[in-house]
Amino acid sequence: ENLAYLPSVVGPGTGSNSTAYYYVYGYDGTNVTAAKGTTNYNKYGVLYNWPAALTACPEGWHLPSDAEWTQLEEYLIANGYNYDGTTTGNKIAKSMANYSGWNTSSTVGAVGNTDYPEYRNKSGFTALPGGYRSSNGTFINIGNNGYWWSSTQNNTNLAWSRTLSYFYSNVFRSGSYKESGYSVRCVRD
């Protein structure tokens, strides 16, 4: 599940690529109790900017590195988790996606398509389309996409992340602005 650690909360208009900030999609305030009472908190967890994500995982767990994300992807591909059962190419998003909550798509093998139901969440990752806090200070893409940080910096302003989209069958790797608010999945040490 997405991490829901919330020591403090700010609205989407507050951002930084160096100071840790925590967000709850759709919540614009600073009251942690109120933020924890929202549907989005209870369903999608917390959105973290990259500095917050680096220290959010509890003791005995850690934010996965870019290499650990790649290892997971390569394992799923090689072991037949592509929506069509093949073992080459990146078509694993459906196998990582939760059964519900995604907007619909007619693209073959896409997360939002009901085709290949036997592959839906086959990996048990249960990815949810929790959207994100954009670097321009707005919440967007809930229902469409899920975004997750890695612990690996791309450059001064960017860190590597992963995205699943309702419209595609693959997992995307990209360099994302550190002030963006993304979900976190922790890996046991």
Side-chain angles (χ1 to χ4, degrees):
E1 64 186 26
N2 290 344
L3 188 63
Y5 171 65
L6 189 65
S8 64
V9 64
V10 295
T14 303
S16 173
N17 66 2
S18 58
T19 300
Y21 287 115
Y22 309 84
Y23 310 93
V24 172
Y25 194 104
Y27 180 77
D28 189 2
T30 58
N31 184 309
V32 171
T33 303
K36 286 183 175 182
T38 66
T39 300
N40 287 336
Y41 172 83
N42 288 291
K43 184 172 185 176
Y44 301 111
V46 173
L47 300 174
Y48 304 85
N49 69 354
W50 193 68
L54 289 174
T55 60
C57 292
E59 186 175 334
W61 297 77
H62 65 275
L63 185 65
S65 68
D66 184 56
E68 287 174 311
W69 275 105
T70 300
Q71 181 182 17
L72 171 64
E73 293 161 8
E74 290 175 351
Y75 173 87
L76 293 175
I77 292 166
N79 287 279
Y81 286 84
N82 282 333
Y83 73 82
D84 57 3
T86 60
T87 56
T88 59
N90 177 341
K91 298 179 276 186
I92 57 173
K94 186 180 289 283
S95 289
M96 295 177 72
N98 189 51
Y99 292 95
S100 62
W102 295 87
N103 290 336
T104 59
S105 170
S106 60
T107 304
V108 174
V111 171
N113 195 327
T114 57
D115 62 352
Y116 301 96
E118 67 277 17
Y119 283 91
R120 173 67 67 184
N121 201 32
K122 183 177 178 181
S123 71
F125 189 84
T126 317
L128 294 166
Y132 74 109
R133 183 256 177 203
S134 72
S135 58
N136 69 5
T138 59
F139 291 122
I140 59 174
N141 280 339
I142 199 165
N144 288 341
N145 300 341
Y147 304 82
W148 294 269
W149 284 120
S150 84
S151 63
T152 308
Q153 181 172 258
N154 181 333
N155 63 36
T156 303
N157 297 313
L158 306 174
W160 291 111
S161 65
R162 295 302 189 278
T163 305
L164 269 69
S165 171
Y166 80 104
F167 196 75
Y168 295 98
S169 62
N170 59 307
V171 176
F172 293 92
R173 173 185 183 255
S174 58
S176 299
Y177 288 107
K178 294 176 182 178
E179 63 263 32
S180 299
Y182 286 5
S183 297
V184 162
R185 292 294 181 98
C186 300
V187 175
R188 192 182 300 273
D189 292 346

